[in-house]
Amino acid sequence: MMSDLNLGNSLFQGYNDQNGLMICGYEWGWSKADEAAYEAGELHQPETETEHTFANRARHYGEQAKKWRYDNAVKKWFELWGHPLDENDLGGAFEKSIVLTNWAATQGNHIDNKNKFIQPEHIENFLYHIEKLRPKVILFMGSRLTDYLNHRDVLPRFKQIVGEQTAPLKVEQKASDGTRFKVRFQSFERCEVVCLPHPSASRGLSDKYIALFEPEMNRILSDFKTERGFK
């Protein structure tokens, strides 16, 4: 079944239901501002689903979605890497190939327990989504997520789905006047993994620094498009 997946956008058959590009964070966000808006009755939760891509979640959630920091940061990063997302209607094949999810199905506003995400229920949630969706590219949004991926209780099972490792975990930093965040790359037979800083919770993270990774990210995204037959 696909209806039990924990996703932040619609599934499109032949695009992101298999072999897509997965954007994966820790858990669903719930900021103090979200909590206040909810208590004030200002958060809009549609009763019925309208098909929507990650690039245009406003199709389903309304104008409030255009203010979401996490989404806006990630969309800006795609632009900096030379692959801007079409936010009009449902966009094109590339936009439909993207699926938004999280390692855990829980909701929180801060990551205060690094061991939380290697609890069995959260490992099972992640691996269930990998098994069902079999992504070609995973963009982890949060520096600890490759630690969880390479945990002894996760990596062997992950490799059963995506194949053996073809390039070991590599940590890259760029020369910068600001904070030099680490970006991690790891390759498997049927999946490329990139672990980036958290888009909305990494203090000192700048678009200028993220743009320095354009050569690596452009290659990964271009290869993905070529393999999937997207322009």
Side-chain angles (χ1 to χ4, degrees):
M1 290 178 61
M2 290 296 206
S3 60
D4 58 348
L5 294 174
N6 191 26
L7 307 177
N9 59 273
S10 302
L11 280 178
F12 298 93
Q13 188 172 3
Y15 293 98
N16 62 359
D17 60 333
Q18 292 274 293
N19 303 315
L21 187 157
M22 176 182 284
I23 298 171
C24 182
Y26 292 105
E27 62 184 342
W28 299 105
W30 184 249
S31 69
K32 296 298 184 182
D34 291 334
E35 186 174 350
Y38 175 78
E39 291 176 353
E42 297 171 356
L43 277 184
H44 173 61
Q45 181 60 47
E47 294 182 3
T48 58
E49 179 171 336
T50 300
E51 279 196 323
H52 56 293
T53 62
F54 165 73
N56 186 8
R57 295 217 284 164
R59 271 179 59 90
H60 177 62
Y61 292 101
E63 290 297 307
Q64 64 183 354
K66 296 180 180 180
K67 300 177 182 179
W68 291 342
R69 289 177 57 202
Y70 181 97
D71 291 35
N72 289 336
V74 175
K75 287 188 278 188
K76 181 63 178 295
W77 291 2
F78 274 88
E79 182 180 348
L80 293 171
W81 297 329
H83 297 266
L85 300 179
D86 185 351
E87 299 182 45
N88 295 308
D89 199 35
L90 292 175
F94 182 49
E95 287 73 27
K96 291 177 184 175
S97 74
I98 297 172
V99 62
L100 178 68
T101 189
N102 285 288
W103 184 279
T106 50
Q107 191 171 48
N109 53 35
H110 54 83
I111 309 298
D112 58 356
N113 180 0
K114 66 181 181 180
N115 293 321
K116 169 182 177 178
F117 296 97
I118 55 173
Q119 292 175 357
E121 62 267 32
H122 302 318
I123 290 175
E124 293 302 324
N125 177 75
F126 172 70
L127 290 172
Y128 181 75
H129 284 71
I130 300 302
E131 171 65 34
K132 291 295 183 180
L133 299 172
R134 296 181 177 265
K136 286 289 186 183
V137 175
I138 299 174
L139 302 184
F140 280 135
M141 299 293 168
S143 61
R144 296 174 182 166
L145 286 164
T146 44
D147 294 337
Y148 305 145
L149 176 66
N150 287 278
H151 190 275
R152 63 181 181 274
D153 292 336
V154 180
L155 186 61
R157 296 175 61 190
F158 182 75
K159 291 194 293 185
Q160 287 177 356
I161 303 169
V162 303
E164 290 299 319
Q165 183 174 259
T166 57
L169 183 64
K170 182 180 180 181
V171 180
E172 294 278 357
Q173 286 179 295
K174 301 289 186 177
S176 173
D177 295 333
T179 305
R180 298 176 64 236
F181 286 88
K182 295 176 181 178
V183 175
R184 298 165 174 84
F185 299 88
Q186 192 169 5
S187 300
F188 298 85
E189 290 177 295
R190 294 182 293 277
C191 186
E192 288 278 344
V193 177
V194 183
C195 186
L196 297 144
H198 194 282
S200 58
S202 300
R203 293 183 180 179
L205 181 62
S206 68
D207 288 340
K208 182 179 178 181
Y209 186 75
I210 288 295
L212 295 175
F213 290 89
E214 186 274 338
E216 295 91 343
M217 297 307 301
N218 181 36
R219 177 192 63 78
I220 290 170
L221 296 175
S222 294
D223 286 352
F224 170 75
K225 287 181 174 180
T226 299
E227 185 175 352
R228 292 299 311 274
F230 302 155
K231 293 182 178 180

